[in-house]
Amino acid sequence: MVIAVDGPAGAGKSTVCRRLAQALGVAYLDTGAMYRAVAWALAQCAMDQASDQRMRQELPLLPLEFLIEAGRLRIDWEGSPLGDELRNPSISRMASLVSQRRPVRDFLTQKQRALSRGHDVVAEGRDMTTVVFPDAELKVFLTASDRVRAERRWKEYKEKGLSADLEDILRQIQERDAADSQRVLAPLKPGKDAIILDTSELSIDQVVEQLVRWAMEAREKALKREGSP
């Protein structure tokens, strides 16, 4: 069973999906980490500025492996797991750039679909409901007002002891929303038949509880289809 969750920045996708996967006892597929891993790998090989043709040829040859282990995504480089290397802010910025390259998206779409075979997964990412898993048993588009999302991000920074200006964060979110929704490659939008859930007035617990209910309903429907003659 695949539960695909999409939505704009600051909607709470990562936090909700981790807890949802834990509540259901299924794997959590962090597609953002996969993009950061590819960005890091391309930087190691001085390929981040390579042509689309070269990227398409070289990406499958990189010693980069994606695995589901104990319900979590594990990413190996040359047989050793990657960790802190992917948490560098510069890698996050690079991941945002390489995610706009079609060879990278095609490569990771294939990997993400492969990881879902043989595993029940909660897959979280910007194009999960539209491109990667358009036929997922449950598709959810999490959203919230731009002001609420900015306030959430501002609180996260404050809790980490980082200085941040709420209005600057709001402007950045609005600019990213516009860029994501207008891009040619995998624009930000709900997938067909995706359930749109506005979390502006909901707590994380309430969102997770609602998604658990929908997931159980989707699982029951899937089992009935499998058992029907």
Side-chain angles (χ1 to χ4, degrees), residues 1 3 20 24 137-142 195-198 207-221:
M1 177 178 178
I3 300 169
L20 176 62
L24 296 173
E137 285 83 353
L138 175 62
K139 293 179 287 185
V140 180
F141 189 88
L142 288 185
I195 303 172
I196 300 175
L197 179 60
D198 190 326
V207 176
V208 173
E209 288 170 5
Q210 180 61 73
L211 265 60
V212 167
R213 286 194 292 270
W214 286 339
M216 298 305 292
E217 292 170 2
R219 179 176 285 171
E220 288 180 11
K221 290 179 181 177

Side-chain angles (χ1 to χ4, degrees), residues 34-48 50 54-66 75-80 82 94 98 103-104 107-108 111:
M34 297 177 76
Y35 277 99
R36 290 193 296 276
V38 167
W40 180 87
L42 291 174
Q44 298 304 300
C45 301
M47 280 180 49
D48 50 304
R54 186 185 173 201
M55 274 195 182
R56 200 172 293 280
Q57 293 171 340
E58 298 292 336
L59 278 171
L61 304 179
L62 294 176
L64 188 64
E65 189 174 9
F66 302 99
I75 304 174
D76 285 359
W77 175 259
E78 296 182 335
S80 298
L82 293 175
M94 191 181 300
V98 302
V104 173
F107 173 73
L108 285 180
K111 294 293 184 182

